[in-house]
Amino acid sequence: MKNAETIRESNLVFPYQLEALPFATHSLEPYIDKATMEIHHGKHHAAYVDNLNKALEGHDKKSIPLIHLFDQMSSLPAAVRNNGGGHFNHSFFWQLLKVSEKGMPSGELLNQIQSTFGGFDAFREEFAKAAMTRFGSGWAWLSVDENKQLFISSTPNQDNPLMDVADRRGIPIIGLDVWEHAYYLHYQNRRVDYVNSFWNIVNWAAVEHRFNEAIR
Ligand code: MN3
C-alpha cells in the first residue's frame, strides 16, 4: 500500500513483541474499564503476537515487515492474516485511545470530514453504522484512499484496509475494535453504547497526525 510507511506501526517486524500500553489500564474509565483493558491487551493482543511468531517461524517471508506482508495476504496462510492483522490492529488501536481533551478534530481533517460526510455528526453516524452492521467480529475504520480522500469501511475478523483482501484499501487513521472481547464485560450485548462512548476516548491529536502523514 502506497504511503503505508508513514504509519507508526510500519516499525513492526519479526520477531514480534507485545509493546506496553501507552496509558494506564484504568485511564479510559468509565468508557473502557480496567479489567477489559487488562484482558484485551495482556491476553488477547498477547496471543496474536505469540501466534503470529509461530505462524512465521520458518516461513521464507518472515523478514518482510508486517505492513508489506499485508500487500500479499491473499497468498499467505490464514494464521498470518488473522494474527498479523490482530497484532497490527491492536497496536494501532491503543495509540488512538485517550480520554478526549477536545471532542472533535480541527484543521484540514475537520474540513475534509465536513466536505465528505456532510458534517461531523453525519460522519459519526456513518461510522457507527459501519460498526453496528459488521456482523460478528471485526473492525470499523476511517481511512484515506489513494486519492487522499476519506472513507469509512468495516472489515471482518482481524482484516484491515491495508490488506489486499480488503473490499476497499487505504491508510487507516481511526479503527474501532467491535469484537465482543473489546466491550462485553462492561457493555454486555450493548454494542451501540460501546460504539457511542468511543467518541469520548478518541485522541484527535493522534488522528490528525495520522491524517496529515497519509495525505502528504
Ligand atoms: Mn480486540
Side-chain angles (χ1 to χ4, degrees), residues 105-176:
S106 55
E108 181 55 27
L109 177 57
L110 180 60
N111 289 341
Q112 199 181 124
I113 284 175
Q114 288 172 331
S115 62
T116 303
F117 303 105
F120 186 63
D121 288 343
F123 154 71
R124 286 194 302 190
E125 279 173 33
E126 188 173 333
F127 188 91
K129 189 176 165 195
M132 292 305 298
T133 55
R134 168 50 55 194
F135 183 78
S137 297
W139 291 73
W141 304 95
L142 176 67
S143 307
V144 176
D145 71 14
E146 60 186 7
N147 298 316
K148 304 185 178 180
Q149 297 299 303
L150 292 170
F151 69 96
I152 289 169
S153 66
S154 78
T155 54
N157 305 313
Q158 295 295 353
D159 288 359
N160 65 52
L162 291 162
M163 294 183 180
D164 66 346
V165 293
D167 291 339
R168 194 166 172 194
R169 298 188 70 190
I171 308 276
I173 63 168
I174 293 180
L176 176 60

Side-chain angles (χ1 to χ4, degrees), residues 23-24 26-32 94 96-103 197-205:
F23 48 79
H26 66 268
S27 65
L28 303 175
E29 293 189 342
Y31 310 110
I32 298 181
W94 310 140
L96 181 73
L97 302 179
K98 184 184 181 187
V99 172
S100 296
E101 284 150 18
K102 54 177 189 171
S197 67
F198 174 56
W199 303 114
N200 295 299
I201 50 170
V202 174
N203 181 351
W204 283 110

